[in-house]
Amino acid sequence: MSEVEGQQAGRGAQGRGAQADGPRAAPGLNVKPDDLPANWVMADKIVNTTPRRNEWVDVPVPNSSGTVHTWVVYPDGSQRVGAVLVLHGASGLSDWVRGVADQLAKDGFVALVVDLSSGLGPNGGNYDSFRFMDDRMRATQTLGRENTMARIKAVRDYAAKMPRSNGKTGSIGFCGGGTNSFTLATDVPEHNASVVYYGGPPPAASLAKATAPVLGFYGEDDARVFATVEPTRAEMKKLGKAYEAYTYPHTTHSFLWMQDLGNNFGATADSWPRTLAFFRQHLSTPAPATR
């Protein structure tokens, strides 16, 4: 039995996440726990009051005249650490996604939020130039898979070479961004770790190319995505690829964002520490001395 198979067997047949000390009480929508990403209510405040250094950079895309508008937030200190790409879903870049990046930086990683709608807005604008979310979604959909991944790969290459980076890269994505995070594991041999939150897998033919380990989190009430978990688990096991999947009962799609519904907060409290442990292991980045 492989190490990954042993971990899955230890969780039981369903691979359900569970906190060792029992369920953690939800703090309420207007409270942001120190050790978890902000929910949809608190994200704006967190992003706009963060004490961590942050900046916007425009990353050139090879073989193109375009750039990717990218928000970078840095951890305290000067040591070299792992860099994590934060990949938004279909609705686009938001303060909530930036809040996830801020939490990653608080936890000791360089975090980079990729704006896939870069240059596609009115007058060549970025995500904040669109008047309506639907317009941003339609514009991003015109990229197609190849151009989408070209933008993400450009930021990954940039992240690996940053002065604060130790050269190792991870990714975390939500919904369609989860699929893109998984795709980095199959398409970029230099990538080190991919985390998927309620996103489907890439095409089955791509799974055989996976080189980086993949960690996924899924809500059982998210019927469309949840239906992909067991087939993906079976195929990755057959291929001998590293894939761990945690599923949560009474939990919806977008549970890390909508922490107030059903078991969503319980899933958040269980999945985030697992995410950090995964990145610490595969990106060679210890926890900060002080937080």
Side-chain angles (χ1 to χ4, degrees):
M1 179 179 287
S2 71
E3 179 181 359
V4 171
E5 289 173 328
Q7 291 168 342
Q8 291 173 348
R11 293 196 306 274
Q14 297 301 314
R16 291 182 175 177
Q19 298 177 64
D21 299 325
R24 178 174 166 182
L29 281 176
N30 294 316
V31 177
K32 193 273 183 196
D34 183 68
D35 60 333
L36 299 174
N39 61 33
W40 64 277
V41 173
M42 294 298 294
D44 176 77
K45 178 180 179 180
I46 294 302
V47 169
N48 287 291
T49 61
T50 179
R52 281 162 283 283
R53 184 168 74 88
N54 58 81
E55 63 180 337
W56 287 100
V57 298
D58 291 306
V59 179
V61 180
N63 304 314
S64 138
S65 59
T67 60
V68 186
H69 200 49
T70 303
W71 190 66
V72 185
V73 57
Y74 299 90
D76 293 339
S78 59
Q79 69 276 23
R80 298 177 73 184
V81 298
V84 180
L85 275 65
V86 184
L87 306 177
H88 62 71
S91 59
L93 194 152
S94 65
D95 279 349
W96 180 78
V97 176
R98 292 170 66 195
V100 173
D102 187 74
Q103 185 67 38
L104 283 165
K106 180 180 179 65
D107 288 319
F109 303 90
V110 176
L112 303 92
V113 181
V114 181
D115 176 16
L116 288 176
S117 66
S118 299
L120 301 179
N123 301 312
N126 302 312
Y127 80 102
D128 52 353
S129 68
F130 293 91
R131 184 178 180 187
F132 299 111
M133 181 189 298
D134 286 355
D135 294 335
R136 184 169 63 234
M137 292 173 67
R138 282 191 288 268
T140 306
Q141 288 169 358
T142 65
L143 288 173
R145 183 178 185 274
E146 182 176 348
N147 289 328
T148 294
M149 292 310 300
R151 291 181 170 213
I152 293 172
K153 290 173 185 178
V155 178
R156 194 222 71 89
D157 292 347
Y158 173 86
K161 298 174 184 176
M162 295 175 69
R164 284 295 307 275
S165 172
N166 64 11
K168 294 181 180 292
T169 61
S171 59
I172 181 172
F174 308 92
C175 189
T179 302
N180 292 334
S181 181
F182 203 140
T183 301
L184 277 174
T186 65
D187 286 16
V188 180
E190 300 82 7
H191 192 56
N192 301 104
S194 291
V195 174
V196 178
Y197 272 81
Y198 33 83
S206 299
L207 299 182
K209 301 186 299 177
T211 53
V214 180
L215 175 65
F217 302 103
Y218 311 89
E220 292 185 2
D221 291 349
D222 184 10
R224 180 184 63 82
V225 175
F226 185 71
T228 69
V229 176
E230 286 307 319
T232 302
R233 194 201 304 270
E235 184 63 17
M236 291 288 277
K237 180 179 180 181
K238 174 183 173 183
L239 294 167
K241 304 298 183 179
Y243 173 69
E244 289 186 79
Y246 289 85
T247 63
Y248 300 95
H250 311 299
T251 300
T252 74
H253 191 76
S254 298
F255 66 78
L256 203 71
W257 176 55
M258 297 185 293
Q259 296 176 20
D260 55 312
L261 299 179
N263 188 44
N264 287 7
F265 183 77
T268 296
D270 185 80
S271 62
W272 190 254
R274 297 184 191 277
T275 296
L276 294 180
F278 181 75
F279 282 146
R280 295 203 195 290
Q281 175 186 357
H282 296 290
L283 304 186
S284 302
T285 302
T290 59
R291 297 185 57 224

